Amino acid sequence: MGASLRALRALVLLAGFYLLGLVLLAVLAAADWATVTWLHGGIAVKVLIVSVVLAVPIVRGMFMLRTPKDDPQPGVPVTEQQEPVLWQAVRDVAAQVGTRAPDEILLIDEVNAAVSEDSRLLGLLPGTRRLYLGLPLMTGLDEMQLRAVLAHEMGHYANLDTRLTPLIARGRAQLIRTIGHFHDRADTKVAKERARQEKAAEERLAKGKKAKEVDTAGQGAMYRAMAKIYTGYAHFYMRATLAGSRRQELAADLASVRVAGRDSAASALRELNAIGPAHGFYMDSYATLGVGAGLLPPPGQVFGGLRQLLDARSDELDELRRELSTEPTSPYDSHPALAERVARIEALPDDGRGGLAARPALELLSSPEAALAALEQEVLTPEALALTRRDWADLVHESMTQYVGHGAQELREAATAEGAAPDLAGLLDAVDTDPALRWRIADRFPKSEQAAAATGRAAREFTRPVLRRAAKQLVTAELTARGAARWQLSWSESAALAYPTDGFEDQLDLALDAFVADQPDTEPLRKLVLA
């Protein structure tokens, strides 16, 4: 579908919203006329009042002349003087696609690239063009893959997709706002009726009478009925506009192929399927690991450490690159399924541009480290920026030590409550004197419903692993506190504790088993940890 037809369709869909409003207003006006003609007195007044209050949200929605502005995307704006190589690459790609280059480039913290245009007069006049480019995305791509991504985004400019975005967004915003007005009024009516009935119930109770049950069924029904009418049109509007969005994505993919080649365009999409989950895992398990301990990685490494994870887990990510989701596209998806997009690209004839060596995309920046550090200053909260910075090795050790120490504190508090000393030596001494102390201590820990209902030996079998885990945390806390063990950073696996000697962990497992046995033996733990 050409740009002119798409613009016409967008205008027709927006006009449909206004037409729906006019039809509903006409229906209400007809009801008013019939009321005045055939009815008199209080009933007529009530109908007229209902008609007016129903018309207000319709009129308000129709006269929302401005599209609500989204919050500005946080990021680092870069000028051509600051990043000449990146800007030149973007301009080259725009020229190859046959469109005007963006006026601004903003580096963001997402695995994404996007474009916008501040067009005017419902998209008839062009405006400021802006490219949003994610540094995490660049971290996982090479230059040719990045050019494929840039060509896709420039394809949206060339196809005038961004010029129509404000027009489509206005229709969506007006529908959402109108539906919201009706639901708000319905909720207000329900709340008022509930308050009235609750007050009446209190008065009856004060007089010694039985209170009636609060019943707000049917309240706000007219408002909700009007909301359903607009919701029906909203579903039609969304399906129609999002179907167009999916076609726009496929058209933009062809621009990727023309500029970067079939193989780079397809591999960029496959890489996206791997980088997205990897980035989420990295942010949860590495970048923010130390937040609970008041720590952050070194400047630039909050986002920059992703490269090390991608390198260390390349084999795992290969599976994500190969296996793309084949779930069918929903009518409300803005993009076609990734598997469909890749299949369409890879079905194209070989253009002979595959297998070409390309430098990492981050090397298009004058200083990747400085850009990553600047991004932190823009997107992290002041509270996060105030955290203490540690290199990765110390961050992992200090964070894990503090977290395990919190776990061990539960055992210490339970031991103290039962009259035992809160350290390992004191606990072992107390158990030697009173073996049943272990079960009383563990009984203070949170339990599942099944564990709480168990008795006798069954209860001990529920308790044993809990007690063993708590004892191991206490041992770990004491070993790390005196420097006999240290948490080790691993980019390919979870953090692991490096014990004092080879074979220590196997001996510790046996010693803990002996500690939680029906007839406890504390000697192995004493010799291994306290000697």
Side-chain angles (χ1 to χ4, degrees), residues 485-509:
R486 183 175 177 84
W487 288 99
Q488 299 290 314
L489 165 68
S490 173
W491 291 105
S492 59
E493 298 175 352
S494 300
L497 193 64
Y499 288 102
T501 59
D502 291 339
F504 187 95
E505 187 171 10
D506 293 335
Q507 295 178 56
L508 177 59
D509 286 338

Side-chain angles (χ1 to χ4, degrees), residues 58-399:
I58 298 174
V59 174
R60 288 180 65 184
M62 292 173 67
F63 284 91
M64 187 187 76
L65 299 180
R66 291 187 178 182
T67 303
K69 297 294 185 182
D70 293 330
D71 292 333
Q73 172 85 45
V76 179
V78 291
T79 65
E80 196 161 3
Q81 291 71 33
Q82 293 169 319
E83 298 294 349
V85 179
L86 175 62
W87 268 96
Q88 185 59 51
V90 172
R91 293 192 188 283
D92 288 346
V93 170
Q96 289 177 273
V97 174
T99 190
R100 177 167 62 89
D103 304 294
E104 300 175 9
I105 296 178
L106 195 71
L107 302 179
I108 61 174
D109 63 334
E110 300 175 3
V111 182
N112 190 31
V115 288
S116 67
E117 184 170 4
D118 298 333
S119 58
R120 294 162 290 164
L121 291 179
L122 299 179
L124 296 176
L125 296 180
T128 300
R129 288 183 168 183
R130 196 169 291 109
L131 168 65
Y132 302 91
L133 191 54
L135 285 183
L137 173 66
M138 293 181 69
T139 298
L141 300 181
D142 64 30
E143 182 178 355
M144 289 308 297
Q145 291 169 332
L146 178 63
R147 284 178 177 270
V149 171
L150 293 174
H152 177 98
E153 299 305 325
M154 296 304 107
H156 285 307
Y157 282 144
N159 296 331
L160 302 183
D161 300 338
T162 53
R163 294 268 290 276
L164 297 176
T165 298
L167 185 61
I168 294 170
R170 171 179 288 188
R172 291 175 183 170
Q174 287 180 291
L175 281 164
I176 291 170
R177 181 176 179 179
T178 304
I179 293 168
H181 285 327
F182 281 116
H183 281 298
D184 288 344
R185 287 174 177 263
D187 292 341
T188 299
K189 192 169 181 63
V190 169
K192 287 182 177 179
E193 178 61 20
R194 177 177 292 278
R196 186 191 67 78
Q197 292 186 30
E198 287 176 347
K199 182 178 180 181
E202 290 175 1
E203 292 175 352
R204 290 181 65 86
L205 289 173
K207 296 177 180 178
K209 298 180 181 179
K210 184 178 180 180
K212 294 181 180 179
E213 186 176 348
V214 174
D215 180 11
T216 59
Q219 296 298 317
M222 290 295 295
Y223 292 120
R224 298 194 193 283
M226 296 290 281
K228 284 184 179 181
I229 295 173
Y230 276 96
T231 300
Y233 187 74
H235 287 160
F236 169 75
Y237 188 96
M238 296 295 286
R239 289 169 72 103
T241 55
L242 291 173
S245 296
R246 293 193 294 275
R247 288 191 291 270
Q248 291 166 12
E249 294 301 322
L250 295 175
D253 283 343
L254 295 178
S256 291
V257 175
R258 290 197 304 272
V259 170
R262 182 194 69 177
D263 291 352
S264 290
S267 67
L269 291 178
R270 289 186 178 276
E271 202 64 41
L272 276 169
N273 200 55
I275 301 172
H279 178 250
F281 175 75
Y282 164 76
M283 292 302 296
D284 290 340
S285 303
Y286 287 87
T288 58
L289 172 66
V291 169
L295 305 175
L296 271 187
Q301 285 294 294
V302 172
F303 303 110
L306 175 63
R307 181 67 261 172
Q308 300 177 77
L309 180 86
L310 295 176
D311 291 340
R313 298 181 183 248
S314 181
D315 291 343
E316 296 176 45
L317 297 177
D318 279 342
E319 184 175 348
L320 291 175
R321 297 181 182 107
R322 290 191 303 269
E323 303 297 331
L324 304 178
S325 173
T326 57
E327 288 188 15
T329 303
S330 163
Y332 301 103
D333 285 339
S334 62
H335 288 59
L338 200 58
E340 177 188 349
R341 295 172 64 189
V342 172
R344 285 173 176 265
I345 292 173
E346 292 180 343
L348 297 172
D350 187 356
D351 52 22
R353 288 186 283 176
L356 300 177
R359 58 182 169 174
L362 280 180
E363 291 187 10
L364 272 66
L365 299 175
S366 300
S367 172
E369 295 77 12
L372 288 162
L375 183 61
E376 293 177 9
Q377 297 297 316
E378 290 295 327
V379 303
L380 297 184
T381 64
E383 293 77 12
L385 291 171
L387 298 179
T388 302
R389 303 288 185 143
R390 288 282 190 271
D391 64 43
W392 281 110
D394 288 342
L395 181 144
V396 170
H397 174 66
E398 293 180 28
S399 300

